[in-house]
Amino acid sequence: MSRIDLEAVAPAAYRAVLGLERYGRENVEHTVLHLVKLRASVLNGCAFCVDMHSRDALAAGESSRRLFAVAAWHEAPFFDERERAALALTDALTRLGDHGVPDEVWDAAARVWSEKEVADLVVAIATINVWNRIVAATRLQPPVQE
């Protein structure tokens, strides 16, 4: 059961996060954005977001095989170099350790993405992590019926 409706109780805060969401949608390749959102949501254990982002990706034409493989992307052969760099950056930013994002992860992203693209990825990854935390705090549940 949901604890609170953040949009109703703190509409300005909700709109601010929604603004970041719009920015990511406008500035990150849609295929990569779907993968990043799904990966962060899996790592954060956000059932609502895993459900929403996997359904959105399927509706946008992503294959179920690649979506399932996001959970084990290191071993899966389905992702290109740019997608792998984005997924590694997602892992590092989502599981932020004592020393932040390792240089090897950052350097791999910087090799295949432009500086602006890396900046946009960082914003998109940070945004899905904000959404995951909002959903975890409010206990928003995915719809049982499709």
Side-chain angles (χ1 to χ4, degrees):
M1 179 138 282
S2 184
R3 291 178 170 166
I4 192 172
D5 179 353
L6 188 74
E7 184 178 10
V9 176
Y14 186 86
R15 283 192 307 273
V17 179
L18 199 54
L20 288 170
E21 177 68 27
R22 278 191 213 104
Y23 181 88
R25 288 180 190 171
E26 293 169 2
N27 291 282
V28 177
E29 283 180 28
H30 291 169
T31 298
V32 171
L33 187 59
H34 288 303
L35 297 175
V36 161
K37 287 180 177 185
L38 182 57
R39 178 62 182 172
S41 299
V42 166
L43 292 174
N44 287 321
C46 183
F48 180 88
C49 295
V50 167
D51 177 69
M52 178 174 60
H53 297 304
S54 59
R55 286 186 296 120
D56 288 350
L58 286 169
E62 183 59 80
S63 77
S64 58
R65 192 172 188 202
R66 278 174 37 101
L67 292 178
F68 296 143
V70 163
W73 71 267
H74 290 95
E75 292 81 25
F78 312 124
F79 305 105
D80 66 26
E81 187 178 15
R82 287 170 56 92
E83 292 167 338
R84 287 183 175 287
L87 289 165
L89 190 58
T90 302
D91 284 8
L93 282 170
T94 301
R95 293 179 169 159
L96 201 54
D98 291 340
H99 303 289
V101 176
D103 288 339
E104 61 271 11
V105 171
W106 186 266
D107 293 345
R111 272 194 303 276
V112 295
W113 296 93
S114 72
E115 188 173 55
K116 169 77 164 63
E117 290 171 324
V118 172
D120 293 340
L121 277 170
V122 168
V123 171
I125 295 163
T127 303
I128 188 55
N129 276 283
V130 169
W131 285 124
N132 289 163
R133 281 145 181 80
I134 288 170
V135 170
T138 62
R139 291 190 179 159
L140 187 61
Q141 296 294 304
V144 177
Q145 304 286 333
E146 283 191 45

